Amino acid sequence: MKATGTVKKILANYEGETPGVKGKLCQMLMHGKLGGTGKMIILPVDQGFEHGPARSFSVNPDAYDPHYHYKLAIDAGLSAYAAPLGPLEAGADTFAGQIPTILKVNSANSLMSDTAGKNQAVTASVDDALRLGCAAIGFTIYPGSDMALDMFEEIVEMRKEAAAKGVATVIWSYPRGEAVTKEGETAVDVGAYAAHMAALLGAHVIKIKLSTDHVMQPEAQKAFEAGKIDISTQTARVAECVRSSFNGRRIIVFSGGASKGTDAVYDDARAIRDGGGNGSIIGRNSFQRSREDAMEMLGKLIEIYKGKA
Amino acid sequence: MKATGTVKKILANYEGETPGVKGKLCQMLMHGKLGGTGKMIILPVDQGFEHGPARSFSVNPDAYDPHYHYKLAIDAGLSAYAAPLGPLEAGADTFAGQIPTILKVNSANSLMSDTAGKNQAVTASVDDALRLGCAAIGFTIYPGSDMALDMFEEIVEMRKEAAAKGVATVIWSYPRGEAVTKEGETAVDVGAYAAHMAALLGAHVIKIKLSTDHVMQPEAQKAFEAGKIDISTQTARVAECVRSSFNGRRIIVFSGGASKGTDAVYDDARAIRDGGGNGSIIGRNSFQRSREDAMEMLGKLIEIYKGKA
Amino acid sequence: MKATGTVKKILANYEGETPGVKGKLCQMLMHGKLGGTGKMIILPVDQGFEHGPARSFSVNPDAYDPHYHYKLAIDAGLSAYAAPLGPLEAGADTFAGQIPTILKVNSANSLMSDTAGKNQAVTASVDDALRLGCAAIGFTIYPGSDMALDMFEEIVEMRKEAAAKGVATVIWSYPRGEAVTKEGETAVDVGAYAAHMAALLGAHVIKIKLSTDHVMQPEAQKAFEAGKIDISTQTARVAECVRSSFNGRRIIVFSGGASKGTDAVYDDARAIRDGGGNGSIIGRNSFQRSREDAMEMLGKLIEIYKGKA
Amino acid sequence: MKATGTVKKILANYEGETPGVKGKLCQMLMHGKLGGTGKMIILPVDQGFEHGPARSFSVNPDAYDPHYHYKLAIDAGLSAYAAPLGPLEAGADTFAGQIPTILKVNSANSLMSDTAGKNQAVTASVDDALRLGCAAIGFTIYPGSDMALDMFEEIVEMRKEAAAKGVATVIWSYPRGEAVTKEGETAVDVGAYAAHMAALLGAHVIKIKLSTDHVMQPEAQKAFEAGKIDISTQTARVAECVRSSFNGRRIIVFSGGASKGTDAVYDDARAIRDGGGNGSIIGRNSFQRSREDAMEMLGKLIEIYKGKA
Amino acid sequence: MKATGTVKKILANYEGETPGVKGKLCQMLMHGKLGGTGKMIILPVDQGFEHGPARSFSVNPDAYDPHYHYKLAIDAGLSAYAAPLGPLEAGADTFAGQIPTILKVNSANSLMSDTAGKNQAVTASVDDALRLGCAAIGFTIYPGSDMALDMFEEIVEMRKEAAAKGVATVIWSYPRGEAVTKEGETAVDVGAYAAHMAALLGAHVIKIKLSTDHVMQPEAQKAFEAGKIDISTQTARVAECVRSSFNGRRIIVFSGGASKGTDAVYDDARAIRDGGGNGSIIGRNSFQRSREDAMEMLGKLIEIYKGKA
């Protein structure tokens, strides 16, 4: 598909990157109902790994079936679908070539003791991504965890291999662990820092959580004040995270967190849009609703990102 | 052998998988007295590694001989025989080609201190499986153990190699370790989670234990209630585990646990059958009986899975 | 893009293939103005290598510029653009992700003596295709050449690597060399044989020339008569080549040969369509016309393949 | 399936071979209507490569479709189906696991000049055989060709790799080339020599042509006379070829050659049976008949090999 | 050094190339007295390999010393210095970092029989180029030679490795061999074809000879006439070669051939400049003069390329 000017401008930021990676980013940016707008909505379904199937799917039992998610993402006109190896394979024939896919190559689970550390297992490879025709690999890092340095070293190696083979890299950057307070996990200074670290590690697409106006690090508080950086609104905080992503030179999407009311989801999206973010990665808030409700909500989100709602 | 419609339907779920893996699954599903029904009974004999020979075999001393198990599985018309490297080799010439075999590629033992962690050693390779003509490799993971992430990374690599070379993967998913209470090891939320993780990791056949109606994670309890998921009967709990195995898109078999009365074994099988499970993997309950009793019990189980008992 | 039923039916013929390859075939079949119809028009520009720049481009000097061809393929709504390494790289940033590309990985040239044999040099790799984000590699074989066995061995290795990494393979099968007469190069028996060999070697897309009603091999003449195979019309001959491509289980496209009048080009396309072929691969007949004329001709061809002209 | 005594006795001849290879031989010997008898009928379809599609399939156009052959082999209850990469893949999903397959890993074609030598291209690999779940690889050698030494070196390497990975090797041993007269190609001394060379190279299954009572080498004539070796009947000549296959320690099957009347085919089979051969590999004589006729003929052949006709 | 707009425009043509390669091209284009103009003069000293030391250096014995050439290139303000491994190493410490160097990685010599073919030996590696800090590797191909396909395959592999490691590739494309007449070696159609092949193979910088108005291939003659391509002047012929280098998207430099009078050298340079070429690669015409004369001549050439003479 002929790329729009908006998309070409985004791609031009990926200087020196392989044409294969740029082509994959173009594929995601031109796909679905937001194709060409520079905005994206991604459906991620890795909660089954992290929270178990009951907590993830029992509220909407159709969602136990991996085909459900492929269909939801395709029918809603989303930009991409992200999942671990197993579920991607479970629809690999039926949906081959119909939506860009992101192979989540590391995975956490909630059957772990605290002493096991905040870490994830590498559960798929770049070769798997190639075999399955994925547009990107997805990798979670936990800035703040004592395991973070190991995770950084893992993703740096995988990204190098992926980029050489024309596969893009999405980094889920989720502050967590020994060096981060519970409130700090969504503090704006920490969130912007998390986005920045992902960019520094070479992410092509950055995924972080929306943040609160809490500031965890006192030095950051002082810096915000010195620089007169506004963090009072969600829009302003999104803007700070976008700035921290190389001043907007990297695509950044925001996760919606636990399921909540649609109005809150819409407000989040407007803040992401107005703050200069590139879109939403929205899992539980879509598949923990009935398909009918999810389709309606995703349709509305698309309107919001198009500036029509 | 010409595959039945039931078997073809099961194989169609393994989208994007190599024809070699599908052929091996077909071989197991078409073999023995349950051939073509979509149900399986597998004889696993790795208890010698885990519990030592005395606890495993002295109650039925013929079972010290590896040939005993090959013969039992063949004569009873079972679907496959699973064992570590040594016993498979011990009958490799005599029984070559007569029953699908599953090479157990990692192994636990009970001569370990607690501080050694809940882990297993990798004791065989995919190349061994090829050399021995095995239909599958078998690998145990311990969700809940602090070693779980390492085990995940091991099986993901072995499965990738095995699948490329046309060998299927069976994952024994046994919750155990620091993050799981004793009662939680057989809790229904944990069991379904264990099945789900095996599926996420790419298992072609999932093996878990039957579960109790205990729910270990409070959040899961809430989820079951919210989704009105019935867990009151063994059949209902099997159904939840089947759902958690990609809504039945992956073969799932259940282990019988420690030896017990035949009536209990039959009841288990009926619950597995009625809950939509694919069959039993039944070790101690078969070889810790006399051959005569075991043959009779296995014959009855086959009748149950055929819906005739 | 949601694949049409027609495209899904074609993809289902690629049994046992990696999802990556199926996705790439889907991408080409869903792209451009023929997207979803099961028909394709591919623009190949490797004549500069084979005939030199003057003979290829001087009649339409704009075509000396590699960007010209990218633009022509995109603006005309073609299915894919095929070229050697150099020209693909020359537009790799500007056109990244905008049209499926086929990297021609071997190349002939006309500055070779007869004793050098009928052969091509391998001038690019699967890794190049990945780096450049190509949908497929393209490889020429010369059935009838004394170098043919070597060429077969080369493509078999490259195809294996490509398929494992999710890249499709297009084989240009052009009879030529010591065992083929000049008239035989386009004989119908030889053309169908060339298509069949490409299929046997594992081609996902087969490219051959349209054939005449000449039959080179006397035994083939007898066989056509014995089987009452009609070869009297171009449509009938296309049908025989489609049958020889695993009875239509492989995509087959036909080349138009040297530049000629548009009416002849349209007649060829109608014969390809009516004989069950999947489309045209049309180089000199498009870029050796002015852009305006080429756009008009390609538009008409698209109408023909849609059954509207 | 429980191997019969006859089959176990055959397997015992493969001393020191990997259990994987023995299992694959057992699989072929226990499969289909001749399962357990020690006799085999194999359907080979590589004539499309060697003679082109018209000469191979136009007499029975249904045979252009690769599925036709899979179905014929399965429905007739044959022991195995042999074909090159392309056609095996074309039915890899539909027929996975339903009949043992033999991947023909080298291929000849008739679009070659005489000066190109009598040779074949290696067109598939052991890795392909594993991925496709094949029971064996098939390789043609041309004793008598100036390329024979190269072919021997190729198969020795491939066989070594295949056996280590549990895949059996079938050698098509067809005298041809500079050192063999036209009449000598089917001379009994040459045929027995060809069988012996295949055995010497490590073939698990040997495929040769039936021979005439012509003796090409004068020294062989003298030797037959000195040893009072009877070569006057087809049965006697089969017996000489069986003796030359390590005195019957290697499975040997005979090809029927060009299509001919069914009575001649039946006579051949009786001679093979009575001379101690293991069966037929029968291509053109099966698929160049209508399916109905082929099914009838194959049914009769099975009766003959069972000693009932 | 800040790149000029002219240089940035040239670099932008290297789409999808690694930043390392672009940086090396920038380094050459910004170095010396022509830095920033988009023009280059390169000093190549590989004649010692090809013609022996006596024919190369005895006319100016100072030139036996490798330091002589380094100094000449540096002192004259040239853009780069190209030589085989030995001479580059001989000044590697003294001149490290002072001028961009091009490691000639294959080499011909004149102590070869005709039957040895028109070929060169690979005499250095990409690793050598990295170790020596070279800006580029240089490789000669002989279009028209029966060895050309082998040479193409060599350079394609080396270029892939070099580009991945941030080293540029200069291809010397010299028509020679069985398919080219003596007069054809410098024919304009053949020269443009040679430039085009270098571009197709992925050259970053193309080096060819200036051509005569002879046209070797009759079809090319027709094409020039049909396209009204002027080849009557040296400037027009340079323009045709520039067009054949992807319409000027690749840097192309011209060699001066055997030593000759300075006026002829200046005329050549003006034709290169006016035809749109990027400069000269001038060996024998510089070092086979006294240093004084060479310095003067090179100074004049720089003036010509600056448009001042």
Side-chain angles (χ1 to χ4, degrees), chain A residues 28-175:
Chain A
M28 291 190 281
L29 287 165
M30 292 306 297
H31 190 87
K33 293 184 179 165
L34 286 170
T37 64
K39 302 296 178 190
M40 305 171 81
I41 300 179
I42 298 172
L43 175 68
V45 188
D46 55 347
Q47 294 78 3
F49 223 130
E50 185 146 3
H51 304 134
R55 287 171 60 193
S56 302
F57 308 127
S58 62
V59 67
N60 178 26
D62 290 346
Y64 279 99
D65 187 341
H67 279 215
Y68 178 85
H69 305 285
Y70 267 110
K71 276 184 209 149
L72 180 62
I74 292 168
D75 292 347
L78 303 191
S79 312
Y81 166 50
L85 183 74
L88 278 195
E89 285 196 334
D93 269 3
T94 306
F95 304 101
Q98 301 194 40
I99 187 167
T101 52
I102 300 168
L103 178 61
K104 192 70 192 351
V105 293
N106 67 349
S107 304
N109 71 84
S110 50
L111 287 182
M112 284 174 66
S113 74
D114 282 349
T115 56
K118 294 299 179 191
N119 199 359
Q120 299 210 341
V122 174
T123 53
S125 65
V126 174
D127 280 342
D128 288 318
L130 290 171
R131 176 173 57 86
L132 295 171
C134 300
I137 56 167
F139 191 97
T140 299
I141 56 173
Y142 290 147
S145 159
D146 286 358
M147 300 303 295
L149 302 191
D150 290 337
M151 298 177 100
F152 293 174
E153 295 186 356
E154 283 168 349
I155 183 52
V156 159
E157 281 305 307
M158 291 190 85
R159 177 204 173 279
K160 183 170 70 172
E161 183 188 357
K165 293 179 177 169
V167 174
T169 295
V170 183
I171 295 186
W172 271 237
S173 190
Y174 282 7

Side-chain angles (χ1 to χ4, degrees), chain A:
Chain A
M1 205 177 316
K2 215 165 162 171
T4 59
T6 303
V7 167
K8 284 183 182 170
K9 209 173 142 192
I10 293 173
L11 295 179
N13 288 326
Y14 293 84
E15 304 194 3
E17 196 44 87
T18 59
V21 166
K22 291 189 191 184
K24 295 298 187 308
L25 294 173
C26 184
Q27 191 185 347
M28 291 190 281
L29 287 165
M30 292 306 297
H31 190 87
K33 293 184 179 165
L34 286 170
T37 64
K39 302 296 178 190
M40 305 171 81
I41 300 179
I42 298 172
L43 175 68
V45 188
D46 55 347
Q47 294 78 3
F49 223 130
E50 185 146 3
H51 304 134
R55 287 171 60 193
S56 302
F57 308 127
S58 62
V59 67
N60 178 26
D62 290 346
Y64 279 99
D65 187 341
H67 279 215
Y68 178 85
H69 305 285
Y70 267 110
K71 276 184 209 149
L72 180 62
I74 292 168
D75 292 347
L78 303 191
S79 312
Y81 166 50
L85 183 74
L88 278 195
E89 285 196 334
D93 269 3
T94 306
F95 304 101
Q98 301 194 40
I99 187 167
T101 52
I102 300 168
L103 178 61
K104 192 70 192 351
V105 293
N106 67 349
S107 304
N109 71 84
S110 50
L111 287 182
M112 284 174 66
S113 74
D114 282 349
T115 56
K118 294 299 179 191
N119 199 359
Q120 299 210 341
V122 174
T123 53
S125 65
V126 174
D127 280 342
D128 288 318
L130 290 171
R131 176 173 57 86
L132 295 171
C134 300
I137 56 167
F139 191 97
T140 299
I141 56 173
Y142 290 147
S145 159
D146 286 358
M147 300 303 295
L149 302 191
D150 290 337
M151 298 177 100
F152 293 174
E153 295 186 356
E154 283 168 349
I155 183 52
V156 159
E157 281 305 307
M158 291 190 85
R159 177 204 173 279
K160 183 170 70 172
E161 183 188 357
K165 293 179 177 169
V167 174
T169 295
V170 183
I171 295 186
W172 271 237
S173 190
Y174 282 7
R176 185 173 305 188
E178 293 80 350
V180 182
T181 61
K182 194 70 204 166
E183 209 180 1
E185 289 184 2
T186 51
V188 60
D189 60 326
V190 175
Y193 196 169
H196 193 60
M197 276 199 260
L200 289 162
L201 291 167
H204 301 108
V205 179
I206 297 164
K207 180 198 170 189
I208 61 168
K209 291 183 184 171
L210 285 169
S211 48
T212 66
D213 61 1
H214 177 64
V215 176
M216 188 184 84
Q217 298 178 300
E219 303 88 336
Q221 181 68 49
K222 282 180 220 156
F224 285 142
E225 285 162 11
K228 297 186 181 163
I229 301 287
D230 180 18
I231 55 165
S232 63
T233 65
Q234 188 57 274
T235 298
R237 294 191 292 273
V238 165
E240 172 63 7
C241 293
V242 168
R243 269 191 301 272
S244 298
S245 302
F246 293 169
N247 205 30
R249 288 180 186 273
R250 292 293 171 265
I251 296 168
I252 179 166
V253 296
F254 294 82
S255 64
S259 65
K260 50 189 168 185
T262 50
D263 284 347
V265 172
Y266 301 149
D267 286 346
D268 283 354
R270 287 189 194 98
I272 295 165
R273 178 194 65 194
D274 296 341
N278 296 86
S280 299
I281 182 157
I282 185 160
R284 282 172 286 171
N285 269 302
S286 49
F287 66 74
Q288 291 185 347
R289 283 175 161 78
S290 70
R291 180 179 149 100
E292 195 172 39
D293 289 355
M295 289 292 286
E296 190 186 327
M297 187 197 70
L298 291 167
K300 179 75 179 288
L301 284 173
I302 286 165
E303 290 304 296
I304 290 171
Y305 280 116
K306 284 183 168 172
K308 298 181 181 169

Side-chain angles (χ1 to χ4, degrees), chain B residues 188-262:
Chain B
V188 60
D189 60 326
V190 175
Y193 197 168
H196 192 60
M197 277 200 257
L200 288 162
L201 292 167
H204 301 109
V205 179
I206 297 164
K207 180 199 170 190
I208 61 167
K209 291 183 184 171
L210 285 167
S211 48
T212 66
D213 61 2
H214 178 64
V215 176
M216 187 184 84
Q217 297 179 301
E219 303 90 333
Q221 180 67 49
K222 282 180 219 155
F224 285 140
E225 285 163 12
K228 299 185 181 165
I229 300 285
D230 179 19
I231 55 164
S232 64
T233 65
Q234 187 57 274
T235 298
R237 294 191 293 272
V238 164
E240 170 65 5
C241 293
V242 168
R243 268 192 301 273
S244 297
S245 302
F246 293 169
N247 207 29
R249 289 181 186 273
R250 292 291 171 266
I251 296 167
I252 180 166
V253 296
F254 294 82
S255 63
S259 64
K260 48 190 170 186
T262 51

Side-chain angles (χ1 to χ4, degrees), chain B residues 76-220:
Chain B
L78 302 192
S79 311
Y81 167 50
L85 184 73
L88 279 195
E89 284 195 335
D93 269 4
T94 306
F95 303 101
Q98 300 194 41
I99 187 166
T101 52
I102 299 168
L103 177 62
K104 192 71 191 354
V105 294
N106 68 348
S107 304
N109 70 84
S110 48
L111 289 182
M112 284 172 66
S113 74
D114 281 350
T115 56
K118 296 297 181 191
N119 200 358
Q120 298 210 341
V122 174
T123 53
S125 66
V126 174
D127 279 342
D128 288 319
L130 290 171
R131 176 174 56 87
L132 295 170
C134 300
I137 56 167
F139 191 97
T140 299
I141 55 173
Y142 291 146
S145 160
D146 285 357
M147 300 305 295
L149 300 191
D150 290 336
M151 298 178 100
F152 293 175
E153 296 188 353
E154 283 168 350
I155 183 52
V156 158
E157 281 305 307
M158 291 191 83
R159 176 204 174 279
K160 184 169 70 170
E161 182 189 356
K165 294 180 176 168
V167 173
T169 295
V170 184
I171 294 186
W172 272 238
S173 191
Y174 282 7
R176 185 174 304 188
E178 293 80 350
V180 183
T181 61
K182 194 69 204 166
E183 209 180 0
E185 289 184 2
T186 51
V188 60
D189 60 326
V190 175
Y193 197 168
H196 192 60
M197 277 200 257
L200 288 162
L201 292 167
H204 301 109
V205 179
I206 297 164
K207 180 199 170 190
I208 61 167
K209 291 183 184 171
L210 285 167
S211 48
T212 66
D213 61 2
H214 178 64
V215 176
M216 187 184 84
Q217 297 179 301
E219 303 90 333

